[in-house]
Every structure is written in C-alpha cells, then in structure tokens.
Amino acid sequence: QSVAPPGAAEVTNDRFPIVGIGASAGGLAAFEAFFSGMPADSDPGMAFVLVQHLAPDHKSILADLIRRYTRMQVFEVADGMVVQANCAYIIPPNRDMACLHGSLQLLEPAEPRGHRLPIDFLFRSLALDQKERAIGIVLSGTGSDGTAGVRAIKDEGGMVMTQSPDSAEYDGMPRSALDTGLVDYVLPPAEMPAQLIAYATHAFGQSARPAAVGGPKSELALKKIVVL
C-alpha cells in the first residue's frame, strides 16, 4: 500500500506540480542555495523530489541541511510514499527512485555504480506519470545525468530549469542539459523558487484537479517491472 509520510497533510483532491531536482558534485551548495530562496511566509504549492549522487554506503546529509532552510516537511523516501504538496522528498542511498501514480517507488539499482543515471531515471518516470505537471531541475554536477530526462519531460509538455553554469561548482550536468536546446529557464539556484512559483501560478492557477493516487500494491509492482 502507498505510505503517507508521518505528519504530512492529508491527501487532497488538488493536483499540483511535482519538481524533480538532480545534482551530483557541488550539489549540497546548490541545494542549500535553492531552498534558501524559498518563500519564508508561504507554501509553494508543489512538491520537491531530490536525487543526489551518493556512494552506496554514504548516508545523505541533505535532509538535515534542507530542514534549516525551509518551512516544508522534509523526508527521506520510504518505498511507496505518497507525494504531497509542500513537502520535500530525498532519495535514500543505493536506490533508484521512480514516480508512479503520484507515489515514490524505490528500486535496487540495475546498473553498477559509475554507470547509473538516477536523475534520468526519476525524470523519465516523472514525465510519464505527471505529464505537463512534471518539472525537472538540473543542478551542479559532472557528466550528463539528467539530460535524457530533460528530453522526456519536454516530450510530455513539462518544464525544465538548469543552474546557470557560471554559478555551478561543476558545470558538466547543467551544460549537457542546456545543449539539448530544450531548457526553459537558466538561473542561479537561489532565484529558481520565485520563477517556479510564478510559472506554476501562470500555468496551472489555483483550480483543484483530480489527484493522482497510489494504485494497488500488485499494480505498483507491475509498474516497477515496466520501469526497469
């Protein structure tokens, strides 16, 4: 069954954008800058799902870092956790993560470390699951993880941001994403939240829409197989 994070607001019938954010080297500083730019006196009306490249045995310090800068609830993801607005969700070590029926599904990595592309993995599933309400953000990192995911999100009508390369500690991932020619906004991380909120207000307004809900456990298991 889908798991609601403890203490989170009950699932409503409003649909909201889900923002996938990926980072690698230099990502902690980028995430810190991003969440420091979130409004201090209001909720953003969207959810944030964070993927950071981690060694398999390395505990993420990201949750503790982000809690200092946001009024939102911050969770390390448990398998089947239902995504809710005004919450941030962080991938645990040694897992791939997909968004299916508005819930986060954890899978053991199919590729060895060094060959994994966990940001692409999340972005692709987010695009298929959320369509135009999928938003992808590529932050600091080396390599090209996130680039294929950017294409997937744009194919489904979603929106994409990248960190401006001159503000990134490592600009490989942002530059690779920019080379697609599909990126909507290029900004320093601290300026992204205001643009995100403005975009979502313009694109979706405040009207309630039917929510995506977690499917039966057997259906989600089948979906995991399809993702793999």
Side-chain angles (χ1 to χ4, degrees):
Q1 292 181 340
S2 298
V3 180
E10 291 184 5
V11 179
T12 70
N13 287 327
D14 296 344
R15 284 202 63 190
F16 49 86
I18 298 179
V19 184
I21 313 179
S24 183
L28 282 179
F31 279 124
E32 182 177 354
F34 179 91
F35 282 96
S36 72
M38 295 294 295
D41 57 353
S42 62
D43 293 321
M46 58 192 81
F48 300 87
V49 182
L50 281 56
V51 174
Q52 182 187 24
H53 290 187
L54 289 170
D57 56 352
H58 188 278
K59 179 176 172 56
S60 175
I61 64 170
L62 198 51
D64 292 335
L65 177 76
I66 291 171
R67 286 189 184 106
R68 301 177 197 165
Y69 293 97
T70 181
R71 57 187 270 146
M72 293 187 292
Q73 295 182 82
V74 181
F75 304 99
E76 185 170 90
V77 172
D79 190 34
M81 189 170 271
V82 175
V83 178
Q84 302 194 49
N86 308 314
C87 294
Y89 302 89
I90 297 169
I91 192 171
N94 201 32
R95 288 291 181 270
D96 282 333
M97 182 165 64
C99 183
L100 299 168
H101 299 308
S103 68
L104 296 173
Q105 305 294 318
L106 299 177
L107 304 100
E108 292 200 16
E111 298 291 337
R113 187 170 174 241
H115 297 276
R116 293 173 53 206
L117 299 171
I119 302 169
D120 283 335
F121 196 89
L122 172 68
F123 282 10
R124 284 194 190 102
S125 70
L126 191 62
L128 293 172
D129 196 58
Q130 298 295 312
K131 307 298 184 186
E132 74 279 1
R133 290 179 184 267
I135 297 174
I137 299 180
V138 178
L139 299 178
S140 175
T142 59
S144 62
D145 194 9
T147 298
V150 162
R151 292 191 179 96
I153 288 172
K154 294 307 297 180
D155 282 348
E156 297 293 340
M159 189 269 274
V160 173
M161 289 183 169
T162 63
Q163 181 169 0
S164 52
D166 60 354
S167 73
E169 190 174 345
Y170 295 89
D171 65 3
M173 281 179 16
R175 287 192 185 279
S176 179
L178 282 169
D179 285 346
T180 65
L182 299 172
V183 174
D184 297 292
Y185 301 99
V186 185
L187 295 165
E191 297 177 19
M192 289 177 171
Q195 183 61 66
L196 267 176
I197 291 167
Y199 167 80
T201 300
H202 175 74
F204 309 118
Q206 303 300 319
S207 60
R209 298 176 188 274
V213 297
K217 189 171 183 179
S218 59
E219 182 183 344
L220 290 174
L222 179 60
K223 286 281 188 179
K224 283 190 184 185
I225 295 170
V226 172
V227 166
L228 287 171

